[in-house]
Amino acid sequence: MLVLWAGVASAQDDRPLLRPVARGTYVQPPMLRPVVRPYDRPDMVHGAHTRPEARAERGVFAISPFAVLGSLRPAKRPQAIEIAADERRLARLRGQVCNDIAIQGQSLGRVDGPGACGVSNAVRVRSVSGVLLRPAATMDCQTAAALKRWVDRGAIPAVGNDGGGIASLRVVSHYACRNRNNAASGRLSEHAHGRAIDIAGIGLKDGSEITVLSGWGTASDGRQLRQMWRAACGPFGTVLGPEANRFHLDHFHFDTARYRSGSYCR
């Protein structure tokens, strides 16, 4: 006959002993009651603290009240570094033109020229977005803003990290009272109004240069130069490169002609 075994406490201790019982007899199991675990450090019990660093911890049994105070902290920055950084910031603020700290230069005001030549509210720009102009170029603020957009979205991405990145732009023409293509007669160039800039080379931080004349048709520099040329269509009203005509074989011509409703790129 099959039997079940029931636990019966012995007289010697509380441990149950197994005794056979008849099949079908219900034997109630011993009742187990949870016992609260004692704490050696009641002050570290979860929920004992209401400070933010304690409340932020979820699922952590105990939090040391000295966890934050005992953590490593960086040393305070020397005051000389703070002063130098503030001086550089103020210098940039003093050197900004066109209400843009990324455009550094000098305000010139009205620049007069013979006939219809001249620039209203002219600025001499020496750098845009940290890229130097060699030499500094005279233009109006609309042209300076377009140049900045082109440097940010065209020149810098096209060069990337080649040669350490872009460092400067070699400017071969900016404000000048002359006709288009330096002709003896004809319509005034946008250069005569401070609305144009001609760039022949892109200087890199390692001292090398990407030139429009020698790099346009090459496999190494041609892709980057064409990317720069395409990126100028939009910020500038007129974009001319080596394939436009024989007058632009060695440079890019960018201008913000006011009479155009859209960009003209060749």
Side-chain angles (χ1 to χ4, degrees):
M1 180 180 66
L2 296 177
V3 296
L4 297 177
W5 296 85
V8 178
S10 67
Q12 299 175 352
D13 53 37
D14 294 333
R15 291 176 299 176
L17 298 177
L18 297 179
R19 294 285 187 272
V21 296
R23 184 176 182 179
T25 303
Y26 173 76
V27 178
Q28 184 173 352
M31 180 173 294
L32 300 178
R33 297 180 179 276
V35 179
V36 178
R37 182 180 299 174
Y39 296 106
D40 294 333
R41 291 287 303 277
D43 58 315
M44 295 179 63
V45 177
H46 179 68
H49 300 289
T50 58
R51 290 181 300 177
E53 62 269 23
R55 293 199 306 271
E57 297 292 340
R58 305 295 182 190
V60 178
F61 179 75
I63 303 171
S64 171
F66 307 105
V68 176
L69 296 177
S71 63
L72 297 178
R73 295 169 181 252
K76 186 177 181 180
R77 181 176 296 172
Q79 189 177 9
I81 295 179
E82 298 282 354
I83 294 174
D86 195 51
E87 289 178 350
R88 288 193 298 269
R89 181 184 64 83
L90 293 176
R92 292 194 68 197
L93 288 173
R94 288 192 296 268
Q96 75 174 8
V97 293
C98 303
N99 294 319
D100 192 334
I101 197 170
I103 305 176
Q104 294 286 301
Q106 177 186 359
S107 296
L108 302 178
R110 171 70 189 180
V111 173
D112 294 318
C117 294
V119 188
S120 299
N121 299 320
V123 292
R124 180 176 290 115
V125 179
R126 64 173 179 269
S127 73
V128 289
S129 297
V131 177
L132 295 177
L133 273 60
R134 301 183 183 275
T138 299
M139 62 192 77
D140 63 9
C141 279
Q142 183 171 334
T143 306
L147 181 64
K148 177 202 165 186
R149 289 196 299 273
W150 175 74
V151 168
D152 289 340
R153 304 174 188 177
I156 291 178
V159 172
N161 292 323
D162 289 356
I166 186 171
S168 63
L169 301 174
R170 179 158 57 90
V171 179
V172 292
S173 183
H174 45 106
Y175 169 68
C177 186
R178 62 177 177 83
N179 296 324
R180 290 182 177 180
N181 301 323
N182 287 307
S185 61
R187 188 170 181 172
L188 279 176
S189 169
E190 292 300 313
H191 288 280
H193 306 296
R195 301 171 184 167
I197 184 171
D198 291 351
I199 298 171
I202 293 87
L204 307 182
K205 292 180 180 179
D206 64 359
S208 60
E209 184 183 44
I210 300 174
T211 64
V212 177
L213 178 63
S214 61
W216 183 260
T218 66
S220 57
D221 297 332
R223 179 185 59 82
Q224 293 171 311
L225 289 170
R226 290 175 187 274
Q227 183 177 340
M228 295 181 206
W229 173 82
R230 286 192 297 270
C233 295
F236 292 99
T238 307
V239 178
L240 302 176
E243 296 181 7
N245 53 48
R246 61 186 178 86
F247 300 106
H248 298 88
L249 292 175
D250 62 348
H251 68 274
F252 291 139
H253 169 87
F254 302 150
D255 73 47
T256 55
R258 306 295 194 264
Y259 60 86
R260 294 193 185 280
S261 59
S263 296
Y264 175 80
C265 305
R266 288 189 61 186

